[in-house]
Amino acid sequence: MSAFRPPPLLAIPALGIAALLACGGGGASYPDSSDVTAAQAAWCQALAKLNGPGDAWEHLEACKGAYPTASAAYLRGMTRCFTARHEAAGEDAPDNSQLITECNDEVTVEMGAEGPGSAEVIAARCQRAERCEKVSAADCKTAVDRLETAQRVVLTTTYNAGALHAIADCLSSSSCSDDEEAARDSCYKPSSEKLLWFPD
């Protein structure tokens, strides 16, 4: 059903460093915020180690002060995968964009599709499908349930609860479009561009 093709992970081809700077302090009021903050700190420590100076890395505090749109589970998975692949390749490591693309494929297969904000964003997608494409809520839910877990992860638990709330709000409030696929993807785009933090 067209309403449920997962959006492309728009951040992945565009993980060109500057685009990934995450806004700070965005998740204070959400139930997963402390987990996201802890996972972000681990991501930052991994970057600091890979860049050589560890705790003396000049970008460490800025990294830890950023609040990405990624979920804690996604951050933990990406930290583990990115570090392992980078260390295994050594001086022959490909650029960050390639490593992130490869790790994204690995991590989304391993993650679960249920988490804070997941139900809200799926409900918003279904309501939009009913409003804009005349797809019943029951058919919508059936289509979602039939997605492979990795496809549902791309729609849901890749993102933290704050990001999912923003996506759901966009899906609910934006006007219907002649190209609903593009309209749905555009609601994910701002969050997909801030999944991971890298320095300029």
Side-chain angles (χ1 to χ4, degrees):
M1 186 176 300
S2 64
F4 303 101
R5 187 191 68 78
L9 268 184
L10 298 167
I12 299 309
L15 282 179
I17 310 303
L20 294 177
L21 289 176
C23 297
S29 62
Y30 292 95
D32 61 344
S33 61
S34 61
D35 287 343
V36 173
T37 299
Q40 173 70 3
W43 168 256
C44 297
Q45 288 294 157
L47 290 182
K49 181 180 178 182
L50 291 172
N51 281 279
D55 288 342
W57 187 44
E58 62 181 323
H59 302 292
L60 185 59
E61 289 308 310
C63 182
K64 288 184 175 181
Y67 193 86
T69 54
S71 66
Y74 184 79
L75 281 169
R76 287 192 294 266
M78 293 300 284
T79 300
R80 181 184 66 252
C81 178
F82 186 83
T83 301
R85 287 176 183 257
H86 203 288
E87 290 178 343
E91 293 183 0
D92 296 323
D95 63 30
N96 289 339
S97 295
Q98 182 176 335
L99 287 175
I100 294 297
T101 299
E102 293 171 0
C103 286
N104 177 75
D105 292 342
E106 178 180 313
V107 170
T108 54
V109 169
E110 296 173 349
M111 286 174 57
E114 300 299 325
S118 297
E120 179 185 15
V121 81
I122 293 301
R125 286 180 71 89
C126 287
Q127 289 163 6
R128 184 179 184 92
E130 192 164 41
R131 173 167 57 93
C132 298
E133 299 177 275
K134 311 309 178 193
V135 175
S136 74
D139 286 345
C140 167
K141 184 65 167 62
T142 298
V144 172
D145 289 344
R146 288 178 178 167
L147 291 175
E148 294 180 0
T149 299
Q151 292 176 307
R152 294 199 306 274
V153 165
V154 171
L155 296 176
T156 58
T157 53
T158 295
Y159 304 95
N160 61 48
L164 287 173
H165 178 75
I167 293 165
D169 184 63
C170 176
L171 291 167
S172 299
S173 62
S174 58
S175 301
C176 296
S177 169
D178 291 337
D179 187 345
E180 273 296 299
E181 183 176 299
R184 288 190 303 273
D185 287 352
S186 70
C187 285
Y188 280 83
K189 189 175 188 295
S191 293
S192 72
E193 291 179 339
K194 295 180 181 179
L195 280 169
L196 297 171
W197 189 97
F198 287 96
D200 285 330

